[in-house]
Amino acid sequence: MQEFCSLSLEECKQWMEESGEKPFRAAQIFDWVYQKGCLSFDAMTNMSKDLRAKLNSSFCFPSLKCIRTLNSEDGETIKFLWELRDQKRVESVLILSKERRTVCVSIQVGCPARCAFCASGKEGLKRNLTPAEVVEQVLHIDRFLKEKGERVSHIVFMGMGEPMENYETLVKAIQILNDPSAFHISQRRITVSTVGVVEGIRKLAQEPFKVNLVLSLHAPNQHLRKKIIPYARKYPLEEILMAMDEYAEKTGRDITYEYTLLSGLNDQREHAEELAQLLSGKQCTVNLIPYNPVEGLRLHRPEKQAIEEFRFILEDHRINTTWRYTKGKDIAAACGQLALQK
Ligand code: SAH
């Protein structure tokens, strides 16, 4: 039995042809599933009985079961904890910001990057998600929003896992999210965040779609970066930055660097100065994210004043910054925190 939500429209058309059906049926089914949110072939009344039977014997959905939702006190984020077929758990976060309805999706169970501040990598990588397991995160949240007359508008691949380490699923999920017959979320509204996998960044630059790319930088030099991100040993920082520049050039998109501020570790004046040097002359934005406490980690969020100073130094060197108070702190919104709770 195949997972329906792993199919691109092309593949669905192909299946129709092979099953002796008209290819245009594919777009009709996509409309039922992704626009109407219908998860039963039997309810697709404009399909013949025979086709419905064939669909039922070939495809299944959904593979995710929502086992918990948590609302933040400020009402700005809702976290969804999913159980997969094999009882493993992943999570998604819905971020409500003005008219935006952003879903932060997971792409792996666990994570191979093992960043010092992050809950997702604490127990290493468990397995990759299938395209359907990614797409269904959006599908379920979209159905949830529809009840209030809203739809998912933006996607960020910033949940559990490293997108470039599950590249095929990433590309397939982007195709389905972007497809006019499915969610039709524009490429400009899809953002991929990477820890810095050079060949992945280069491959993504060659794809026919242009999504936003964010690099999780977290340090101004390779030495400190390796301490914070064990995975960073794999690639010299200069090579990653070069690949990011190439991506920006190829796609015409500005680059964003994420910088999680950890008190005493990467938030000092000299780190800000060094970061400004490293990024000087680049068309980019640095997104400063104060560390969001994770149980069992002995790290601290910097004082507000230290963050302001850090920001001031970058701005003084004409580097754009955004500063995000981590949303949903009270619901353990940082990546992977909920899935780890027993
Ligand atoms: N593997 C990808 C995507 C997942 S992490 C990557 O590394 O980019 C995405 C972002 O989550 C990181 O850049 C980091 O800024 C943020 N993050 C994760 N845990 C956090 C925590 N405890 N506090 C603050 N930010 C965190």
Side-chain angles (χ1 to χ4, degrees), residues 191-236:
T191 300
V192 175
S193 179
T194 178
V195 74
V197 181
V198 171
E199 57 280 5
I201 299 168
R202 297 222 161 102
K203 258 200 280 182
L204 200 67
Q206 304 303 323
E207 297 292 346
F209 51 75
K210 296 175 183 171
V211 293
N212 305 307
L213 187 60
V214 171
L215 176 72
S216 289
L217 186 57
H218 311 316
N221 62 61
Q222 175 76 350
H223 179 71
L224 180 57
R225 197 165 184 266
K226 282 195 297 197
K227 281 195 187 163
I228 298 173
I229 312 172
Y231 187 93
R233 279 187 211 113
K234 282 189 147 184
Y235 304 96

Side-chain angles (χ1 to χ4, degrees), residues 164 192 194-207 211-215 217 225 234-257 278-279 282-283:
M164 301 301 187
V192 175
T194 178
V195 74
V197 181
V198 171
E199 57 280 5
I201 299 168
R202 297 222 161 102
K203 258 200 280 182
L204 200 67
Q206 304 303 323
E207 297 292 346
V211 293
N212 305 307
L213 187 60
V214 171
L215 176 72
L217 186 57
R225 197 165 184 266
K234 282 189 147 184
Y235 304 96
L237 183 52
E238 304 82 71
E239 238 179 87
I240 299 174
L241 293 179
M242 239 154 55
M244 291 299 288
D245 286 345
E246 284 164 27
Y247 188 87
E249 204 173 308
K250 194 92 199 287
T251 59
R253 299 283 158 87
D254 288 353
I255 296 173
T256 299
Y257 298 99
L278 187 73
L279 302 180
K282 291 191 198 294
Q283 188 71 32

Side-chain angles (χ1 to χ4, degrees), residues 5 12 18 20 24 33 46 100 140 166 170-171 196 225 234 251 274 285 289 309 320 337:
C5 294
C12 190
E18 285 162 9
F24 73 85
V33 175
N46 58 350
R100 287 188 184 198
H140 287 298
N166 190 7
L170 174 69
V171 168
R225 197 165 184 266
K234 282 189 147 184
T251 59
E274 200 180 351
T285 300
I289 309 157
E309 260 176 52
N320 292 330
Q337 276 176 262

Side-chain angles (χ1 to χ4, degrees), residues 104-105 107-108 111-113 115-120 157-164 192-196 214-218 225 229 257-262 287-294 297 299 301 324 326 333-337:
C104 174
V105 292
I107 191 136
Q108 295 178 313
C111 185
C115 299
F117 53 80
C118 181
S120 298
F157 286 84
M158 284 189 191
M160 298 170 74
E162 169 49 42
M164 301 301 187
V192 175
S193 179
T194 178
V195 74
V214 171
L215 176 72
S216 289
L217 186 57
H218 311 316
R225 197 165 184 266
I229 312 172
Y257 298 99
E258 300 234 72
Y259 198 101
T260 299
L261 287 158
L262 306 162
N287 188 6
L288 297 169
I289 309 157
Y291 166 64
N292 202 20
V294 174
L297 298 183
L299 295 165
R301 171 186 280 235
R324 174 176 91 194
T326 321
C335 139
Q337 276 176 262

